[in-house]
Amino acid sequence: MAGKDISEKILADYNDVFADIVNVLLFNGEPRIAPDKLRNAGNRSQYKADGKLHEQERDVTKYFTDSNVTISLLGIENQSRPERFMPLRVIGYDGASYRTQLLNKEVTNIFPVVTMILYFGRTHWNYSRHLTELIDLPDDFKPFVSDYEMKNLFEISFLKPEQVLLFRSDFRYVADYFVQTRLHGDYIPAPGELDHVDAVLKLLSVLTGDHRFEEAMDVLPEKGAQMCEVLDAVENRGIEKGKVEGRKEGKIEILYYTLHYSPQRIAYQLHMPISAVLDIIDSLSTSDEGKE
């Protein structure tokens, strides 16, 4: 679990990626946050419960400063699946950050805390973003209970393609992968070189559950690889592990079910008639049904 958490954080921890995510999702692509104006903040905070001291850790947190004055604390949380009580977690993170300011005698002006949740699921977030909707709240108490809205939750797989084009960092390729595979069941990579190959592959490995992304690092350069090269490495790794080299049925099974290539793209890549590809996919589906 610790390795999973680290892999989710490593890409967004780069200042160019962090600033890019904030600029696109909060400011519609305007360069409001400059990477050189960011500095790392402590990700851990403590709270007391049941007479014991507990620790909570955020994914990635950075101070945004301008002219040596702290303007805001920005935090990014990654979620691969919906979590019912996520608003309570966000309250805990934000509250701890404000309390830290309150206890710091050198702080004269309280700066805002902004938490962003990046949700990578292929279905919409199906839980409430409001605190009061998570509480069994009698009607006569409603006027007296402060609500808390989890405002900045972004469903990455449901971004519009034109939004994806606004990204300038490696996060563009991650977002593009999830948007394309949700919309088309297929992914055709855009041209361009990755600056943080290792971090991108680790993040994709964690979010998709496909460890071949991480294993592909063995045959890719640390910087400058393109996503088409990544997919070729992932595909070859899958073929090796499945021991299906030379068998078109095995290749099609990996390309269709694991990499989510369209039948048309498989036919083009394997130099096969589309009808033959469809016949094999149909036979594989029939075989899977028989196993059930």
Side-chain angles (χ1 to χ4, degrees), residues 163-201:
Q163 287 179 284
V164 174
L165 293 176
L166 294 175
F167 290 106
R168 292 291 177 262
S169 71
D170 285 353
F171 191 79
R172 176 178 182 175
Y173 302 101
V174 175
D176 191 34
Y177 178 87
F178 281 92
V179 171
Q180 284 198 46
T181 54
R182 183 191 67 82
L183 287 174
H184 312 298
D186 192 7
Y187 172 62
I188 299 176
E193 295 183 348
L194 296 170
D195 291 318
H196 312 293
V197 178
D198 180 272
V200 169
L201 294 183

Side-chain angles (χ1 to χ4, degrees), residues 80-270:
S80 55
R81 59 179 59 88
E83 183 177 326
R84 181 185 176 190
F85 294 112
M86 192 68 193
L88 293 178
R89 283 181 54 191
V90 174
I91 290 175
Y93 297 145
D94 292 356
S97 298
Y98 283 118
R99 182 166 179 78
T100 298
Q101 295 183 61
L102 182 63
L103 296 176
N104 186 347
K105 295 181 180 180
E106 296 181 2
V107 173
T108 56
N109 296 310
I110 299 297
F111 52 80
V113 178
V114 179
T115 297
M116 303 169 62
I117 298 93
L118 309 185
Y119 167 56
F120 293 90
R122 300 181 189 277
T123 58
H124 283 293
W125 186 272
N126 56 359
Y127 290 120
S128 176
R129 305 183 189 192
H130 289 264
L131 171 64
T132 53
E133 294 179 6
L134 299 176
I135 301 174
D136 187 9
L137 190 60
D139 290 340
D140 55 343
F141 272 79
K142 287 182 179 180
F144 312 109
V145 177
S146 297
D147 195 7
Y148 188 91
E149 181 184 0
M150 190 173 63
K151 300 178 68 171
N152 304 311
L153 187 146
F154 299 95
E155 299 179 314
I156 302 303
S157 297
F158 291 87
L159 294 178
K160 296 178 180 179
E162 53 267 32
Q163 287 179 284
V164 174
L165 293 176
L166 294 175
F167 290 106
R168 292 291 177 262
S169 71
D170 285 353
F171 191 79
R172 176 178 182 175
Y173 302 101
V174 175
D176 191 34
Y177 178 87
F178 281 92
V179 171
Q180 284 198 46
T181 54
R182 183 191 67 82
L183 287 174
H184 312 298
D186 192 7
Y187 172 62
I188 299 176
E193 295 183 348
L194 296 170
D195 291 318
H196 312 293
V197 178
D198 180 272
V200 169
L201 294 183
K202 284 181 177 177
L203 182 61
L204 286 172
S205 179
V206 167
L207 295 175
T208 64
D210 189 343
H211 299 295
R212 290 173 302 138
F213 279 107
E214 192 167 355
E215 293 167 356
M217 289 188 296
D218 295 338
V219 295
L220 291 170
E222 294 182 2
K223 186 173 182 178
Q226 298 201 20
M227 282 302 290
C228 58
E229 297 177 273
V230 169
L231 289 187
D232 286 343
V234 168
E235 177 191 336
N236 290 334
R237 178 69 66 175
I239 291 173
E240 291 169 8
K241 295 187 90 175
K243 297 180 180 180
V244 292
E245 289 182 336
R247 291 178 52 223
K248 288 186 176 179
E249 293 86 354
K251 291 183 179 180
I252 290 173
E253 183 172 10
I254 291 170
L255 294 174
Y256 186 73
Y257 288 108
T258 303
L259 296 181
H260 306 295
Y261 283 18
S262 65
Q264 291 80 4
R265 184 176 178 185
I266 294 173
Y268 175 80
Q269 184 159 335
L270 298 183

Side-chain angles (χ1 to χ4, degrees), residues 18-19 22-23 26-27 32-34 37-42 58 60-76 94 97-98 101 107 109-116 152:
F18 190 101
V22 174
N23 286 332
L26 294 188
F27 300 107
R32 181 70 178 81
I33 307 296
K37 301 294 185 181
L38 294 171
R39 60 186 175 90
N40 290 336
R58 307 191 71 164
V60 184
T61 314
K62 294 181 183 289
Y63 291 113
F64 172 51
T65 61
D66 196 6
S67 301
N68 296 321
V69 177
T70 299
I71 296 177
S72 61
L73 178 71
L74 302 165
I76 291 178
D94 292 356
S97 298
Y98 283 118
Q101 295 183 61
V107 173
N109 296 310
I110 299 297
F111 52 80
V113 178
V114 179
T115 297
M116 303 169 62
N152 304 311

